[in-house]
Amino acid sequence: MTVSTTPGTPCTFSGVNEDVMNTLAIGTMVFGILSMILCTCVVSVIVAYSKEKMYLRERIIFGLMLSNMAFSVTNIIPVQLIEHDCTNTITIIPKAWTRGVWFWGKYWMVCYEIFIAGTTIMALHSGRSKLPWKVETFCHCLSLFTGIAAFVVWVSLAVPFAEKEKRLMAQSAECVENTTDFDEYRDCLMDQGTWEEFASFRPYYYPWVMATMIRAWLAPFGVSLLLWLLSRFLYHKLLSDWNQDHKDAIHLWDADLDGVRVKRQMRLLDLRREAYNEIARPLEPYIAVFIVFAIPAIVMATDYCQNVSTEKNRYCQVPCETVLALRSGTTAAAYFWNYEHRCQLFNVGDLWKRLRIRLCYRLGRSPTRGQRGSRYTHHPGGHVSFAENLDVRLLEK
């Protein structure tokens, strides 16, 4: 990498100076903060109105928002900020742990995209708008633990390397300060027993691990993309079948032939349409956002962007991360594209009261200030009856 560190001038990476890089890093941080706020708003609306208890799609969106929050919290940390001497403001060990959480959120999100695409196919194929509770729980847990597995793999590979690099750099700096030529420098490292470690040290191992993790992410991304394409094919096929079958059903109905069979056929078609409108259609914007923002992730996985022996790595990876930082905020904005959701968010007083009531219920306290205990009770199935347990008088105030 061609680096310029002339005293009094900004650090440059082959013409791309420190100010440009730091502007992108700060932009990533700002986008991360905005994304966290928007994702928190989505979670607040879902919880306040008890939507996760009523709709499968809301539970999926709830989990998707949590994964986006895990992804966004790492963007708030400006790991790409650089100093005038071309060193990172944040040292490599905190950077490695932060990047682990980044991969946790990234893998967690892609599993939810597969979940969304699979649920869409189920709705289009069978007309079902619900999953068995055990199957749904398994899908949520699998998504979460896939992200955790990615975090563990990254930490086990990158963090020991980061610790070793920090230790070797500290010993090297000490020897450079106390020696005047290369022979003395080598003897100093040999006396410390680190010369062989230096000789076998691979400075490009950390970027290589990162590139490998991103490329491994392309596999579940490919699965989600194939499932989405399959769902589009089913949608267009069923749309054609709906139109034709309704025409046939109306013809048979007019001919007064087999009225029971005609009713059953029309009811099945209506169920498929209802399932599509309840699950598939509201989730389609999230798949679209996912596909669009997969482009910078794919660019990050290319040899061009991961070629750390040249200046290309720095000014390819940082802009891609800045664009990816917009992903979570865009996903949350897709939720508020719905007019009803926006109204629920902007009705701040009602939203806060509902949140407070649910929080008080969970803590076993009364929503009325100064009173302990609660009238709220658990139902046998573990669900809360919104009509029975909500303090309507409080909401009407």
Side-chain angles (χ1 to χ4, degrees):
M1 183 182 297
T2 307
V3 177
S4 173
T5 55
T6 304
T9 62
C11 167
T12 61
F13 292 81
S14 296
V16 182
N17 65 34
E18 164 200 354
D19 295 334
V20 175
M21 293 298 177
N22 285 344
T23 300
L24 290 171
I26 293 173
T28 302
M29 180 179 67
V30 172
F31 294 151
I33 294 173
L34 293 176
S35 296
M36 281 291 294
I37 294 172
L38 287 172
C39 290
T40 303
C41 290
V42 174
V43 171
S44 299
V45 169
I46 292 175
V47 173
Y49 288 87
S50 300
K51 296 182 179 182
E52 83 282 3
K53 298 182 179 297
M54 295 181 283
Y55 304 109
L56 171 61
R57 69 169 186 271
E58 297 292 338
R59 291 192 290 273
I60 294 176
I61 294 173
F62 183 84
L64 181 64
M65 288 302 125
L66 293 181
S67 65
N68 276 275
M69 291 172 73
F71 181 77
S72 296
V73 72
T74 61
N75 292 325
I76 297 175
I77 304 173
V79 295
Q80 297 291 359
L81 278 179
I82 54 177
E83 303 289 350
H84 283 280
D85 59 353
C86 287
T87 59
N88 286 89
T89 303
I90 297 178
T91 58
I92 189 169
I93 294 179
K95 185 177 179 180
W97 283 99
T98 302
R99 186 67 68 184
V101 180
W102 190 81
F103 278 115
W104 179 359
K106 195 168 185 64
Y107 276 80
W108 192 1
M109 281 190 290
V110 74
C111 288
Y112 265 105
E113 298 297 340
I114 295 175
F115 194 2
I116 290 174
T119 305
T120 301
I121 292 174
M122 177 199 72
L124 290 170
H125 180 69
S126 64
R128 294 167 55 189
S129 60
K130 295 182 180 180
L131 282 173
W133 182 249
K134 291 183 179 179
V135 175
E136 183 183 341
T137 303
F138 173 78
C139 292
H140 286 292
C141 293
L142 181 62
S143 301
L144 173 61
F145 287 114
T146 300
I148 294 175
F151 173 79
V152 171
V153 170
W154 169 264
V155 168
S156 63
L157 294 175
V159 172
F161 170 83
E163 293 174 346
K164 180 179 179 180
E165 180 181 12
K166 181 179 180 181
R167 175 174 56 83
L168 292 178
M169 291 302 103
Q171 293 172 347
S172 175
E174 181 182 352
C175 289
V176 168
E177 185 178 353
N178 297 327
T179 58
T180 57
D181 56 34
F182 178 77
D183 291 335
E184 292 182 358
Y185 170 76
R186 181 184 59 187
D187 293 338
C188 176
L189 292 178
M190 292 182 68
D191 292 340
Q192 294 181 355
T194 56
W195 173 250
E196 292 184 358
E197 286 188 90
F198 257 100
S200 61
F201 184 69
R202 294 188 296 165
Y204 302 146
Y205 177 78
Y206 183 93
W208 175 82
V209 173
M210 182 171 177
T212 302
M213 292 286 292
I214 295 176
R215 289 166 183 168
W217 172 87
L218 294 177
F221 165 71
V223 172
S224 66
L225 184 60
L226 289 175
L227 290 176
W228 179 77
L229 293 174
L230 177 59
S231 70
R232 301 310 301 169
F233 170 77
L234 286 175
Y235 169 67
H236 289 292
K237 182 177 182 299
L238 288 176
L239 188 62
S240 176
D241 292 343
W242 281 333
N243 295 331
Q244 184 61 41
D245 289 349
H246 269 287
K247 290 179 182 179
D248 294 341
I250 292 173
H251 175 72
L252 292 172
W253 187 274
D254 292 339
D256 197 20
L257 298 174
D258 198 6
V260 175
R261 184 171 63 85
V262 173
K263 288 182 179 180
R264 186 179 303 162
Q265 183 181 9
M266 294 183 68
R267 178 55 180 162
L268 177 60
L269 294 172
D270 290 338
L271 285 175
R272 288 185 176 182
R273 189 183 295 272
E274 290 172 6
Y276 170 76
N277 290 330
E278 181 176 337
I279 295 181
R281 177 171 290 178
L283 294 177
E284 282 182 349
Y286 304 101
I287 297 179
V289 170
F290 178 70
I291 292 175
V292 169
F293 283 94
I295 296 174
I298 294 173
V299 172
M300 286 181 66
T302 60
D303 291 334
Y304 176 88
C305 201
Q306 294 299 332
N307 190 357
V308 295
S309 62
T310 69
E311 70 278 2
K312 298 174 183 177
N313 174 265
R314 186 81 186 182
Y315 62 74
C316 174
Q317 179 178 334
V318 177
C320 287
E321 290 188 13
T322 303
V323 175
L324 283 173
L326 287 167
R327 184 202 186 284
S328 299
T330 307
T331 303
Y335 184 82
F336 292 116
W337 188 261
N338 182 286
Y339 176 74
E340 180 183 354
H341 298 163
R342 292 199 304 273
C343 291
Q344 292 169 344
L345 174 66
F346 294 142
N347 190 353
V348 179
D350 184 59
L351 179 67
W352 168 243
K353 289 177 181 178
R354 289 173 180 270
L355 280 173
R356 188 160 65 88
I357 288 172
R358 289 210 65 182
L359 179 61
C360 289
Y361 168 75
R362 292 300 176 188
L363 297 177
R365 299 172 63 92
S366 170
T368 307
R369 294 182 180 178
Q371 297 183 8
R372 290 189 172 272
S374 176
R375 298 187 304 275
Y376 306 123
T377 58
H378 278 286
H379 282 242
H383 295 283
V384 183
S385 174
F386 189 78
E388 293 178 11
N389 291 336
L390 187 62
D391 193 334
V392 179
R393 293 176 300 171
L394 182 61
L395 294 176
E396 292 176 348
K397 289 183 180 180

